[in-house]
Amino acid sequence: MDFIDLKAQQSKIRLEIDKRIKSVLDHGRYIMGPEVYELEEKLREYVDMKYCISCSSGTDALLIPLMAYGIGPGDAVITTPFTYIATAEVISLLGAEPVFIDVYESTYNLNPDGIEDAIQYAESKGLNAKAIIPVDLFGLPARYRLINEIAKKYDLMIIADAAQGFGGEIRGEKAGSFGDVASTSFFPAKPLGCYGDGGAIFTNDEELANRMISIRIHGSGSDKYENIRVGINGRLDTIQAAILLEKLSIFDEELKLRNIIADYYSSNICHNFQTPFIPKNYLSSWAQYSLLSKSESERNEMMSILSNANIPSMIYYKHPLHLQPVLKKLGYHKGDFPISEKISKQIFSIPMYPYLEKEKQNRIIEVLNYR
Ligand SMILES: *Cc1c(COP(=O)(O)O)cnc(C)c1O
């Protein structure tokens, strides 16, 4: 059994993908070819935002808006310690400091109650809190209504990390439309993945969009060889855009399938585990289906039982970011974010992809419920 099986999806759309790739090989515009602009238009419509800027990865999709806001030394950016390293890495890369706040034990997403303390903590270190990066962990959008209220009060820019959240919704509005700017990833295993690296940025702010378009291509000005700011090589390949156009055409159908599987898991997995909590009016894109066991030893034991039954499982995330060696210099200690630390010891994720057969779902449930 696979943790994520991309082959089943490929066989469904292989002919169309072959045609799309062949068409790129025929026209030969490998960099910023027509498929890139076609994809940006389709994504923009899908998320219902004014601007979509495709880029080279989910990481660059976070880096580019931070650069466009001029985030740098002396600035603090608030985020969650229970996420992938990329969320905080981009902050450090620019010489700014990540300031963490703990998560909800129910959704594993950032708890906005911690924002005011984080602003004060930043001040005590001589830093100016400029922005916040909420993360749509495992596909569930963060609590943007509350985050918006506090961010407005303290003049924080919101950069939504929707790398896992693409396809998720709050009250019918799509992930990617929350915050001042939102970032997503097309890493192959993400809900909408390509066959390499890729990402996209969404915003309604025209001026910000123009700055990000410039940063994406070496800070270019009105022509390609005039450079007006420091930028990066942050483009999405035309071939990846071509692949994404086909994948996007079946994405809504896949989202439904993921939700059917998640519902089936949640109603059949017994009470030994905390199943994912999806608040009213929220829709998850199910980047991961994660269970919380009662202790670290139970988690590890369950994972080895699954492994013996040939069922893969993974831990997202084993080390909360404030305890990662690379971020040690921030000065955080064990015990600073007890919920993130507890979850990282007890959580594990089981296979989740749109084409996971019922028979496999039943086997997974059976093994989980055996004890
Ligand atoms: C995957 C991921 C990223 C980075 O995306 P890449 O495309 O791998 O660079 C950033 N944040 C989160 C939460 C992610 O899951």
Side-chain angles (χ1 to χ4, degrees):
M1 196 182 302
D2 291 307
F3 186 68
I4 295 179
D5 179 2
L6 296 171
K7 294 184 293 288
Q9 181 202 51
Q10 190 185 94
S11 65
K12 200 175 146 81
I13 50 171
R14 179 63 190 254
L15 284 177
E16 288 78 8
I17 285 182
D18 282 344
K19 258 189 244 159
R20 281 278 190 182
I21 293 175
K22 183 175 178 300
S23 151
V24 176
L25 297 186
D26 287 343
H27 70 57
R29 294 167 67 187
Y30 307 121
I31 302 292
M32 298 307 286
E35 286 82 358
V36 172
Y37 297 101
E38 188 184 342
L39 177 70
E40 287 179 342
E41 181 58 23
K42 292 239 164 80
L43 290 172
R44 191 189 69 70
E45 269 172 24
Y46 186 83
V47 171
D48 194 19
M49 291 291 274
K50 283 199 189 132
Y51 304 96
C52 168
I53 298 141
S54 64
C55 63
S56 42
S57 70
T59 305
D60 285 342
L62 291 165
L63 182 66
I64 291 170
L66 287 172
M67 289 173 74
Y69 282 129
I71 302 289
D75 297 333
V77 178
I78 297 166
T79 191
T80 152
F82 196 62
T83 178
Y84 184 54
I85 185 69
T87 312
E89 184 182 33
V90 289
I91 302 167
S92 297
L93 195 61
L94 292 174
E97 269 200 28
V99 169
F100 296 118
I101 56 182
D102 217 346
V103 296
Y104 288 113
E105 195 163 350
S106 53
T107 61
Y108 319 128
N109 275 338
L110 177 151
N111 182 343
D113 289 348
I115 297 176
E116 292 186 337
D117 282 349
I119 294 171
Q120 276 174 14
Y121 175 76
E123 263 172 32
S124 77
K125 291 182 93 181
L127 300 167
N128 200 351
K130 286 264 182 70
I132 179 164
I133 309 185
V135 176
D136 301 343
L137 200 75
F138 302 150
L140 181 72
R143 236 179 144 184
Y144 288 102
R145 197 180 50 77
L146 283 179
I147 295 168
N148 282 342
E149 277 174 21
I150 305 171
K152 210 179 222 167
K153 188 168 161 195
Y154 293 98
D155 212 14
L156 297 173
M157 306 313 300
I158 302 174
I159 299 151
D161 183 348
Q164 300 178 17
F166 191 83
E169 293 179 8
I170 306 175
R171 288 180 189 80
E173 289 180 41
K174 290 277 181 201
S177 71
F178 311 121
D180 296 292
V181 54
S183 311
T184 197
S185 163
F186 303 129
F187 182 83
K190 302 284 156 108
L192 178 64
C194 57
Y195 291 149
D197 279 307
I201 310 163
F202 300 92
T203 189
N204 280 335
D205 179 339
E206 183 179 4
E207 206 198 310
L208 180 73
N210 287 333
R211 259 178 286 153
M212 296 195 296
I213 287 167
S214 162
I215 290 168
R216 170 178 66 178
I217 309 185
H218 302 291
S220 52
S222 52
D223 79 72
K224 198 175 155 186
Y225 295 105
E226 183 203 29
N227 305 91
I228 56 176
R229 55 171 66 79
V230 171
I232 62 173
N233 176 353
R235 298 170 298 231
L236 178 72
D237 291 347
T238 307
I239 285 187
Q240 298 304 340
I243 291 160
L244 282 164
L245 280 165
E246 286 311 318
K247 293 231 200 174
L248 186 61
S249 73
I250 55 165
F251 183 65
D252 273 339
E253 196 182 312
E254 294 189 343
L255 213 51
K256 280 193 197 114
L257 294 172
R258 283 177 190 271
N259 273 282
I260 290 169
I261 296 167
D263 286 345
Y264 190 70
Y265 272 158
S266 292
S267 37
N268 288 288
I269 291 169
C270 73
H271 302 296
N272 282 333
F273 307 100
Q274 175 182 308
T275 52
F277 171 66
I278 307 301
K280 198 166 168 264
N281 298 321
Y282 279 63
L283 182 80
S284 176
S285 62
W286 297 106
Q288 301 295 341
Y289 185 96
S290 303
L291 293 165
L292 198 71
S293 55
K294 293 198 168 72
S295 69
E296 184 172 17
S297 59
E298 264 186 42
R299 189 261 311 263
N300 296 345
E301 197 185 338
M302 194 66 242
M303 286 181 74
S304 82
I305 293 171
L306 286 166
S307 166
N308 289 336
N310 249 323
I311 297 166
S313 59
M314 305 285 279
I315 299 173
Y316 299 112
Y317 293 94
K318 207 177 206 163
H319 305 288
L321 297 189
H322 66 290
L323 302 180
Q324 285 279 11
V326 63
L327 296 175
K328 208 173 179 158
K329 62 178 185 308
L330 296 177
Y332 287 112
H333 300 102
K334 225 179 195 158
D336 284 346
F337 303 105
I339 300 173
S340 296
E341 289 171 32
K342 177 187 149 160
I343 293 167
S344 67
K345 290 196 175 82
Q346 296 174 207
I347 204 157
F348 66 103
S349 306
I350 58 175
M352 164 57 77
Y353 50 90
Y355 309 100
L356 182 68
E357 297 93 334
K358 192 61 155 247
E359 170 258 320
K360 287 182 181 158
Q361 297 170 43
N362 283 331
R363 246 182 69 213
I364 294 164
I365 292 164
E366 197 181 313
V367 173
L368 286 168
N369 288 352
Y370 177 70
R371 287 172 33 100

